[in-house]
Structures are given as C-alpha cells and as structure tokens.
Amino acid sequence: MATAQAAAVVRAMRDDGGMDRPEISPREAEVLAALREHLSNAQIARRMQVSVRTVESHVSSLLRKLGAGDRRTLARMAEPAAAGGAAPRPSGIPGNWTTFVGRSREVATVLDRIGRGGLVTLLGPGGVGKTRLAAAVAEAVAADRPGGVTFVDLVAVRAGFVLPALAGSLGVAERPPRSLADAVIDTLRGERPLLVLDTCEHLVDDVGPLVARVLAHCPGTTVLATSRQRLGVTGEHLVLVAPLSLGGDAQRLFLDRARTASPDFAADPALLAEICARLDGLPLAIELAAARSASLGAEGLLAALDDRLRLLTGGRRTDARHRSLHDVLQWSHDLLDEPERAMFRRLSVFAGGFDLAAAEAVVPERSRGELTDLIGCLADKSLLIHRVAFGGRSRWRLLDTVRAFGERQLVEAGEAAEVRRRHLDWAAVTAQALAPNASGAWAAGFDEVADDLRAALARTNPGPDDTAYRLAVGLARLAFARGSFAEAAQHYRAASARADDATRAVGDLRHAADAAVVVSDGPEALRLLLEAADRASATGEARAGALAHAVIVAVRYAADFTEPVTRPARAQLLRRAAAATDGTDPATAALLAAAKAWDELGEPLTAAASVTAARIAVRAARRTGDPALVALCLDALGTAAVQLGRPLRAHHIAQLRIKVVSELAPHDPAGAAEITDAHHVAVSAALAAGDLPAARTAVRRAETHDPVGSHPYLAMPRRIRVLALSGRFDEAVAAAQILWDNWLRDGRPVMAWMSSALAVVALVHGLRGDKQDDLWRSRALAVAGHADPRRSGDLAAVTAFADARIAVHTGDTSRAVALVEQCSAEFPERWWEGTPGPPGPSSPSWPADPTPPRRSPGPRRRRRNIVGPRRC
C-alpha cells in the first residue's frame, strides 16, 4: 500500500512538470507519501520500520531537492492529481474503532464557535468524552480548512516540551537563526488552519502562553483544546462537556458497546437506565462497564457497581489513563497540590452536594477565604461541579464516580472516621434547623440536603448516640412532611434504635406506627406498636398505651391484614395493657376505653356494646384535651353507629370529627393519621347517608387538606366511588383505569381497600351494558389478592349489590330476586346499608340538597349502598 502511494506521488509530480526536479528515490517517495498524510517522523518510522533518524535524513533531502521551506509545503507538493482535490485527513487524529454516539448538540455548538476563530476549550472531567468530541469535530471540518487540521496529543508531553511537540506535529524543524517558535508561527499563518491540542490540563502554564502567542500572530488560526482546567487565555470560549443524557444517549452508547462484545446482548430498559445512572452518564465508565456485560450480564453488572472503581478496569487502550476509571481519576488527582488533595478527599464525604457553610463544617481547619479558593481550584479542574441553587446560593457536588475515588483517598489517608463524624454533626444540626411550615419554603432546602442526611444516618450503627438520634428524628420529621411516609417510618425506627432511654424509643416507634397507618400498612403499624410495648418497662403508661393502640389498629385497619387478628389475641393484648397501667393517666385511660370499643366493633354481634364503650372513650379523650385522641375515639363512635344501621348519625359524627382534626398539625404523624382517616370516613359516611353533594364536597376537601390527598392508592378509590354513585360514569371509568395502571406498574401489591372501587366500576359497565363488567370484577379480585369476594366483607357487599343492581336494571328477572336477597345478607361491615345505588342511564339524578343529620330510627336490613371500604 505504501509503495503504491509513493508511485502515485511520483507520477503526480511528473505530470505536474516535475521531471526537471532532481530524482526522488523510492524511499524518499514513500516518505513524501506519508508526509501527504501529515504523519509525524515517529509515525513514518514505525510505518517504514526504520529509525526516526533515517526519516529525518529523508525529509531533509526532500526539502533540499524540492526547494520546499517546510514539511507542510512538501505535503502540498505531494498531493496526487488522482485525489481530485480531496481534503487531507487531519494529522495525528486518534484512530476510532467504534461509532461516535450522541453529542449532536455539543458538536453543533463547537462547530459554530470554531467558525468564529480564536480559542475554544472543551472543558469537563476525565472520561467524559472530550477527546472523542474533538476528533469528531476535526473530521467534520477537515474538508473546509485549506490550511488543514493538526491534532496534537499532549498526554505524554511534559512541561517545557509543548512547543517541540507542536512543531513535530506540524513537521516544522528549527532552522537557525529562526527560533522554533518563529518557525511554528510562520507555518500557521495564512490558510486558516485548525490546531487541536488534546489533554492540556497538566500543561496549562505552557499551553496558555503558547496559544496566546499563536492567536496574536496568526489571526486565521483556530485552536480547539481539550482540558479538565481552563487555559486562562483572553477570549477563551468554554464549551462544557457534560455526561451523556440518561434519557437516551447513555443507554444508546451502552448498547452499542455491549453488542460489540456480545452481538446478542439485551437487557430491560429500566435496568440499563439504572446502570447508566450509577455510572453518572460518563462515556468512559459506560464503555468499560459495557465491556464486562458479556461475562456478567446486566443484573450482575449492576450488582458489581457497588465497587465501581474495581469493576471498571479493562481494555488494552493505547492511552494508559483510559484503561480504567481509577486511572482516569488518578491522573486528575496527581495534578493537584497537597492542600487541594486534602480538600478533595474531605469533600468526598458529601453524598449529594454542599454549600460553603457545609464545607466549613467538615473542613474547619481552613479559613473561609482558603476554603473558597480551594473549592474554586477544584471546580476549575473539573473535579467539582458548580451550580446556583435555590435562593441564589452557590452549591457544588462531585459525580458519584469521582466521589467514590475521593472516599477511597479519604480512607487511605486515615481521615475517614474524623471527617464522617464532622459530617454527621453537620447533618444533625441541618436536619433540626429545617422546620416544616405551611408555606412549603423549607421543602427546597430539604431536597438539597436529603441525600446527605440519609447517607450520614446510614453510616451510624444502632446504639445510644445523641447526634445520630437527633439526625434520625429530624430526618423522619422532614421526610414525613415531604410526603415520604414509608421512609419516615424507617427513620423513626432508626431513631428508636439510637435513643438513650426507653421513653424516647417507645415514642419514636409509635410515631413510626402512625406513619405506617397513614399509608394503610396496618400490619407494619401493629408490629411497631408491639415492639414499642416490648421496649417499654414491664409496667407503665407507655407500655399500656402501645398495647391498647395495637388493639385499635388490629380492628380499625383490619382490611389491611391478610390474616386478621383474632378476638382471643386482642383480648390478651387488652389484659396486658390493663395490667401495665395504674389507671391515673387520662390519656392511657382514654386509649384503653377506645381499644375496648374497637374490640367490640370487631365482632358483628357486639355493636351495641361498642357504642357504650365508644361514648366512654370520647368523654375520656375530651378530658385530655388531645384532639388526635378525641378524633380516634369519635371514629369508634361513628363506626358503631354504622354497624347499628344509623348512617345519618355516623354522617353527623364524621362532620364533627372533621372539625376536630382541623386543629391537628399535618406534619405530625399522629395528627396526620387522624386527618387522613377523618377525610376518608367523611366521604364514606356521606355516601352511607345518601348525601352525595356532601360526599363530593368531602372529596374536594380531602384533596386539599388530607396529607395524602394526592396519593393514587389512597385518594383515587374514594373519588371513583363518588363519581360512579353520582352518575359521572366516564370520569369514574377514567380514574379507575389510572388506578389500575399504577397498580400494575408497582408490581401488583395486595390492596384490599381498593377492590370495592373497582367493583363499582364493574357496576358502571353493567349498567351501560358494554360487556366490560366481568373484566372489572376480575380486576377487583386481583387487587384484593384472592379469587373469592366472600373473603372480603367490603368486596362481597359491593359485588352482591352490583350484581343485583345490574339484574334489576337489565330486567334479568330470573336472577334479580335471588340477587336482591343476597344483598340483604350480613356482611362484616355495615357501611353499605342506607340508600339505593347510582342512577342508571335513564334514572333520575340524586337530589341536590343533602339530607340534614338526624337520629336514625334503627337498623335497616333490606337496602344496601356502595360507600367504599372501611379504610382507603
């Protein structure tokens, strides 16, 4: 191939009238052909398998024979006519054996900037793809640059040798009395060349002045540089090269590289997205990980990323820096001075981001001025990412891969324990200082530090620790106020494990139980309350209160339990609670009375007795002045009224309860649990009383005042029931489809309280006659977690009612009588009694005015109403 190129060069020179020139030897022709490709002396030597000194001798001979002033002139003279004027390949550009993925916006930005001339610097952390981007741009503009494109790799160049490296790439030699710098300047004048200087961060003090001189004397020259640190040249235009977008380019790169190693590679898109997110979207990290996918698979790869610096090692790249992610980061680390290294490893303790005050907390030995300067230096060297946060404050963060490297340096320096303790102290103070309020302004501040608060707590171990305890309580309070109720329960439990006395531990476990109740996790709430009783002393009000509350949860939220708590088990808990108290504490007395009332409500034949117990509980609760306790006891009284067939009385009690919970703080778990339940019951009670306008008002009020008013599982079922019973069928069906889709997406969890809402939709379809009712019956059973509606009182009642209502509406007289009789069967809960069902397509609407609350004349046995499950 090289011989053919040499022959072509000789023929082209003869055709151009070059026969009068001195004879060129075959070796010289071969060198000339290589010069046409803008290869360096070293590259030519490797190709021809000769020494560099031999190549230099041939170049000198060619300069003399052809009367050329420099190598570039030789290259232009060597262009064969057969090339048709095609632009030469950029000199020294690294070879690419893989496709260039993404970066279309960055390429467009760089092309626009280099079209204007001057210095353009691609700035970003190691492994982000600056070199590949620069190479792609160089290839793209080669045809439009008469002066050519020269790509100078500075990785192996050391301080003081940048100018010789540039001259070597340009083919310029020093010819006294002209200096080498003058020779380079002369070569770059004229034809708008593009000079690409790759990897400048370790040579900034040399590259900056040289580029400034080139641009001052060669206005037609454009310089494109890649660096982890800006060059500091006047007029320098920075193009920040960020990690690949996680929504598309990162996954595309991973798949492209993985299928290079294994053509049949396939993985779930969600799993790929998680892998790329764990890799920060860094192209180098993605390529190294993809190379391991053939042996580990996507699932194994994700698991191995717990030690990403160990995993992401491999390949036989020419550039040693890019053979592993550790090497990339080590290169950046080696460029830091000692104060910068110390700052870098200490700041790696932050999992999310930090502001100046947070940095001061973990590096107290530095003055604010020193701290600011060092943070700025690390940001300038692309080890920190700067952004302007809420309120205009500056914040910085480390990419996770960079942070992992920094943490390793922290451990190796023996500073991890001390710095992590400082971080814990800062986190505890920060969590306590953020106070939830109605304005919601605190939420943005919490979101900024949430990852660090969680990380600081996760580093602590169970056992008495006041700082860790304060952090856990503060984090639980903030998570709850932010709407992360299940997370809040975990943090309250963590607080109990770090409390230094039993009283605190019991209180935190009860808060955790209240948080579980808010999201209708009755079994978890029961476990937490029993754990609280175990943590309390053998006798005492804390133990008695926890056991009494456990009985209440077991009955009040029975729909959450796949295996109900039996009457004997509840009786045992009540005996233990009574034995633990001396009877002098009003709050404990009220809880015990409420527990007895709920225990009676758990048995259909003892509803009358529960009314008496509930009234005693309400009076006891009012003496405590605790609105949450009053609301809990009123709920027992209202439920007893429903069980006795007095829906109007229950409706009145539910409205009274709404007024009571208006005094509660929605950010307090105990208060929020009652607020949520009160709003749910207000809807159910209004439906049971046939007061649809009040039910619709209750739904709207819940969406505003209920802490979980927007939760799809907790809020949507009550909305569906009200819409369906109001005759707003299209809206009910649309809402049910959203509920079903969310349930499928979340892995089909058993949620019995939602099932009756889907059965209501089956009723809607049955009244419409569109053959979709069986589909929604099966969906209701699936959500309930079983195939028999009789296993759930709520679902059994609404299914019976739906079947009967559809039979009557469609004139199915053969089944109507039997189905109507089935509706009169005794069900575990009586919320379904009261009014007829929804208006059919030709039925009149409900009256607009609600029926005023009044005392119900007694139980009704023959009329049923769909009002929703006991708990939503």
Side-chain angles (χ1 to χ4, degrees):
M1 180 69 178
T3 303
Q5 290 176 333
V9 169
V10 172
R11 284 196 303 272
M13 296 184 70
R14 285 175 177 170
D15 293 342
D16 194 37
M19 291 301 295
D20 294 335
R21 292 170 178 162
E23 188 67 27
I24 296 174
S25 71
R27 278 292 192 181
E28 289 172 343
E30 213 173 325
V31 171
L32 195 56
L35 290 174
R36 182 174 64 83
E37 297 179 49
H38 297 278
L39 299 182
S40 67
N41 287 349
Q43 291 170 322
I44 297 171
R46 284 195 296 271
R47 171 184 287 187
M48 297 177 61
Q49 296 183 346
V50 297
S51 68
V52 175
R53 185 180 296 276
T54 299
V55 175
E56 290 174 349
S57 175
H58 287 313
V59 170
S60 298
S61 177
L62 286 168
L63 289 169
R64 185 180 66 257
K65 288 182 179 180
L66 299 178
D70 52 40
R71 291 167 63 102
R72 179 155 296 195
T73 304
L74 282 177
R76 286 197 296 270
M77 293 173 69
E79 292 179 3
R89 173 180 170 79
S91 169
I93 193 169
N96 296 319
W97 293 274
T98 54
T99 56
F100 181 68
V101 176
R103 300 292 194 196
S104 56
R105 185 175 63 180
E106 289 92 336
V107 168
T109 299
V110 177
L111 289 174
D112 175 68
R113 289 305 310 178
I114 64 176
R116 306 179 196 181
L119 169 63
V120 180
T121 301
L122 305 183
L123 192 67
V128 82
K130 301 183 296 295
T131 297
R132 287 298 299 271
L133 176 57
V137 169
E139 292 275 14
V141 302
D144 300 323
R145 287 276 166 174
V149 176
T150 300
F151 198 104
V152 186
D153 183 357
L154 297 176
V155 171
V157 177
R158 292 296 173 256
F161 294 92
V162 174
L163 180 59
L166 175 57
S169 297
L170 292 171
V172 174
E174 184 176 0
R175 292 183 177 274
R178 285 195 313 162
S179 68
L180 186 60
D182 289 337
V184 168
I185 296 291
D186 290 344
T187 301
L188 292 173
R189 283 196 181 104
E191 296 182 308
R192 296 177 53 245
L194 174 64
L195 187 61
V196 182
L197 303 178
D198 184 42
T199 312
C200 299
E201 57 267 9
H202 60 303
L203 300 166
V204 169
D205 291 341
D206 287 0
V207 174
L210 177 59
V211 170
R213 183 173 180 181
V214 167
L215 294 178
H217 292 86
C218 310
T221 298
T222 301
V223 178
L224 175 63
T226 73
S227 180
R228 304 180 193 185
Q229 180 179 354
R230 66 183 66 199
L231 301 185
V233 176
T234 302
E236 177 182 19
H237 183 84
L238 299 177
V239 176
L240 301 180
V241 184
L244 292 173
S245 62
L246 297 179
D249 285 347
Q251 287 92 315
R252 283 176 53 216
L253 178 64
F254 187 97
L255 282 173
D256 181 86
R257 302 304 190 256
R259 287 171 180 166
T260 299
S262 177
D264 297 329
F265 176 83
D268 180 72
L271 189 59
L272 287 185
E274 186 174 357
I275 290 173
C276 292
R278 291 280 301 277
L279 297 171
D280 294 314
L282 281 175
L284 176 63
I286 291 172
E287 293 193 1
L288 292 170
R292 304 293 301 274
S293 61
S295 58
L296 295 175
E299 293 83 359
L301 190 61
L302 183 61
L305 281 176
D306 288 340
D307 188 357
R308 69 193 73 189
L309 295 180
R310 176 177 181 149
L311 171 72
L312 303 180
T313 302
R316 293 182 174 84
R317 295 166 178 259
T318 303
D319 181 1
R321 294 174 310 138
H322 289 165
R323 290 176 186 167
S324 74
L325 194 58
H326 179 277
D327 291 339
V328 170
L329 296 170
Q330 189 68 54
W331 170 274
S332 292
H333 186 262
D334 290 345
L335 297 178
L336 304 178
D337 59 27
E338 186 50 44
E340 291 170 338
R341 291 177 187 177
M343 179 64 68
F344 168 66
R345 62 179 178 262
R346 291 167 189 172
L347 293 179
S348 70
V349 76
F350 288 102
F354 59 91
D355 57 14
L356 195 56
E360 285 181 295
V362 300
V363 193
E365 66 272 18
R366 296 283 182 184
S367 69
R368 175 168 280 240
E370 291 176 314
L371 201 68
T372 305
D373 180 61
L374 288 170
I375 289 174
C377 290
L378 293 174
D380 285 342
K381 295 176 181 179
S382 300
L383 287 169
L384 294 179
I385 297 173
H386 172 259
R387 69 180 182 87
V388 178
F390 177 77
R393 294 177 297 106
S394 283
R395 287 184 64 82
W396 297 267
R397 72 178 182 91
L398 293 84
L399 294 175
D400 284 346
T401 46
V402 177
R403 182 174 57 81
F405 179 85
E407 283 190 309
R408 182 171 295 183
Q409 301 298 314
L410 187 67
V411 171
E412 290 176 357
E415 300 171 349
E418 181 181 359
V419 173
R420 287 172 181 171
R421 191 69 202 182
R422 293 174 184 173
H423 182 253
L424 176 65
D425 292 338
W426 164 84
V429 170
T430 301
Q432 294 290 317
L434 283 168
N437 54 59
S439 70
W442 61 274
F446 171 61
D447 291 345
E448 286 180 348
V449 299
D451 287 341
D452 271 288
L453 302 187
R454 296 180 185 118
L457 181 60
R459 292 192 190 107
T460 65
N461 297 314
D465 184 331
D466 183 64
T467 305
Y469 175 80
R470 288 186 290 109
L471 171 58
V473 170
L475 182 53
R477 176 174 50 89
L478 292 165
F480 190 90
R482 199 71 178 96
S484 300
F485 307 112
E487 179 190 346
Q490 294 174 0
H491 295 320
Y492 276 121
R493 192 165 194 167
S496 74
R498 290 154 179 80
D500 55 9
D501 64 73
T503 301
R504 280 181 168 185
V506 170
D508 294 322
L509 287 168
R510 293 188 65 175
H511 279 317
D514 288 326
V517 161
V518 170
V519 289
S520 293
D521 192 348
E524 176 64 10
L526 179 62
R527 284 191 292 270
L528 289 164
L529 288 167
L530 294 178
E531 184 179 343
D534 290 342
R535 291 288 299 273
S537 57
T539 59
E541 306 309 315
R543 181 179 178 82
L547 291 169
H549 203 170
V551 173
I552 294 170
V553 166
V555 181
R556 196 181 185 193
Y557 304 101
D560 299 344
F561 290 79
T562 54
E563 294 295 332
V565 181
T566 64
R567 184 74 184 273
R570 300 199 305 265
Q572 183 183 18
L573 291 175
L574 279 172
R575 286 194 297 271
R576 291 169 58 193
T581 180
D582 59 10
T584 59
D585 181 60
T588 305
L591 268 175
L592 275 171
K596 292 174 183 176
W598 281 106
D599 184 52
E600 298 290 348
L601 282 167
E603 305 300 317
L605 299 180
T606 60
S610 69
V611 172
T612 301
R615 286 174 176 165
I616 293 173
V618 170
R619 287 195 292 269
R622 282 176 172 157
R623 284 195 294 271
T624 69
D626 181 356
L629 191 53
V630 172
L632 181 150
C633 296
L634 281 174
D635 190 31
L637 186 60
T639 303
V642 170
Q643 296 296 79
L644 287 173
R646 299 176 178 175
L648 294 178
R649 178 63 178 166
H651 184 24
H652 173 70
I653 293 172
Q655 296 301 311
L656 175 62
R657 192 167 168 234
I658 287 293
K659 294 179 181 178
V660 171
V661 299
S662 66
E663 303 175 31
L664 296 173
H667 297 154
D668 172 67
E674 292 304 323
I675 294 170
T676 294
D677 188 80
H679 283 289
H680 164 68
V681 171
V683 177
S684 298
L687 288 175
D691 191 350
L692 284 171
R696 290 192 290 268
T697 298
V699 167
R700 291 192 295 269
R701 183 172 54 211
E703 291 173 352
T704 303
H705 299 290
D706 183 354
V708 295
S710 60
H711 194 289
Y713 294 147
L714 305 179
M716 194 73 79
R718 60 191 173 205
R719 185 185 308 163
I720 291 168
R721 297 183 196 101
V722 173
L723 289 170
L725 293 171
S726 300
R728 294 163 65 174
F729 290 167
D730 289 341
E731 295 174 68
V733 171
Q737 188 61 53
I738 293 172
L739 183 64
W740 175 255
D741 291 342
N742 282 333
W743 184 76
L744 290 177
R745 183 199 62 200
D746 293 340
R748 299 171 173 260
V750 174
M751 294 185 169
W753 67 86
M754 285 176 19
S755 60
S756 61
L758 302 187
V760 170
V761 180
L763 170 61
V764 167
H765 283 293
L767 295 177
R768 284 177 161 180
D770 57 12
K771 309 300 183 184
Q772 293 287 311
D773 47 315
D774 286 342
L775 170 65
W776 285 95
R777 282 190 188 89
S778 66
R779 289 180 172 182
L781 291 170
V783 168
H786 50 71
D788 184 359
R790 290 172 296 182
R791 289 181 58 188
S792 168
D794 294 332
L795 183 55
V798 71
T799 300
F801 178 83
D803 290 342
R805 184 69 175 84
I806 293 168
V808 171
H809 179 74
T810 58
D812 187 355
T813 55
S814 63
R815 295 200 311 141
V817 174
L819 290 170
V820 170
E821 285 298 322
Q822 184 180 337
C823 286
S824 300
E826 290 295 339
F827 295 109
E829 296 191 21
R830 302 284 297 282
W831 287 84
W832 310 101
E833 294 187 357
T835 61
S842 59
S843 303
S845 299
W846 293 99
D849 297 326
T851 306
R854 60 182 176 82
R855 187 178 183 83
S856 175
R860 307 183 197 179
R861 297 287 187 233
R862 310 294 295 181
R863 302 171 68 198
R864 301 281 171 184
N865 173 54
I866 300 173
V867 298
R870 177 65 192 86
R871 286 294 172 268
C872 214

